[in-house]
Amino acid sequence: MFTAVPYRGNPVAVVLDADDMSTEEMQRFAHWTNLSETTFVVAPRSPEADYGVRIFTTTEELPFAGHPTLGSCHAWLTAGGTPHHADEVVQECGVGLVRIRRSGDRLAFAAPELLRGGPLDDTTIAEACAALGIGVDRVVDSAWIDNGPGWLGLLLASAEEVLALQCAATPLKIGIAGPHPAGHDAVIEVRAFYPAGDATFEDPVTGSLNASLAQWLTGNGRLTLPYTATQGAAVGRAGRISLDGDSAGTIWVGGDAVTCVSGTVEV
């Protein structure tokens, strides 16, 4: 996801026709894939939805995640799914109904409302900075930007500083952004760190984080829509995320999708 070049974005495993799988089977399969997320497409409960999806990390189920949303939609459409409306798909997941608009082969989801916002307390900022090995004085701005996975956001002074970071083990889910210099083809560089067991991993390209970063940083006037974010360079990927808005105030998070592996699975 978030690339048109195979193996350069963030992979997600999508299991279609998963209605007969139990929660335990889904979690076991997601643990086995060892990807940041694995999704299971099921029949929706709401008549407004085109399909339902359950999203799992290797250790837990999430109410929402960005690149699994677009990846699931891409897989569902590729397999012949027909939405109620030609230019929009409606996905049902833990946070409710998520709209996904289609523009040619590109997909973009409507950023869901934050489940938790507002300023970080000093203790949380200090804990996050300690994990990143930086002083609190390096943080330009910070906030809770949780739209499901549990993100907190830190803004640093530059993309160069963001790319230089290393993250020690922490229970926090940390999203970091920093502006690229003038003339760069993207506005900000983004990185995302999340815990899994006793370790902390980096997510290559993160739709949910970019959604909530856009809500936060455009809401406080630091960024203006539309803009492009880059993510994944620190782990050898080349993710590009397009952020745009509409007259209703909705932020749309989009990017390319490419299928790299297809087949059947045994459960």
Side-chain angles (χ1 to χ4, degrees), residues 180-189 227-230 239-241:
H180 284 291
H184 198 280
D185 64 351
V187 171
I188 57 170
E189 183 72 28
Y227 71 85
T228 298
T230 48
R240 295 183 64 84
I241 308 95

Side-chain angles (χ1 to χ4, degrees), residues 104-240:
D105 293 331
R106 302 195 78 191
L107 300 170
F109 67 84
E113 293 296 321
L114 295 183
L115 301 178
R116 182 181 187 183
L120 299 178
D121 60 85
D122 291 343
T123 300
T124 301
I125 295 173
E127 184 179 352
C129 288
L132 296 168
I134 60 174
V136 173
D137 60 339
R138 298 266 298 280
V139 176
V140 175
D141 203 351
S142 64
W144 284 110
I145 51 172
D146 177 17
N147 53 11
W151 298 114
L152 63 84
L154 301 179
L155 179 67
L156 303 188
S158 70
E160 183 180 15
E161 288 184 66
V162 171
L163 288 169
L165 293 172
Q166 296 186 28
C167 191
T170 174
L172 298 175
K173 297 180 179 180
I174 307 173
I176 311 102
H180 284 291
H184 198 280
D185 64 351
V187 171
I188 57 170
E189 183 72 28
V190 175
R191 293 180 72 182
F193 297 100
Y194 66 96
D198 295 328
T200 289
F201 294 92
E202 180 166 0
D203 195 46
V205 198
T206 318
S208 63
L209 174 59
N210 276 279
S212 56
L213 280 170
Q215 289 167 312
W216 171 40
L217 296 174
T218 61
N220 64 15
R222 291 188 179 276
L223 292 181
T224 302
L225 296 168
Y227 71 85
T228 298
T230 48
Q231 187 179 353
V235 290
R237 308 293 176 84
R240 295 183 64 84

Side-chain angles (χ1 to χ4, degrees), residues 55-76:
I55 304 168
F56 289 79
T57 71
T58 57
T59 59
E60 63 179 334
E61 184 171 6
L62 299 178
F64 173 76
H67 93 274
T69 289
L70 296 187
S72 298
C73 185
H74 170 77
W76 183 77

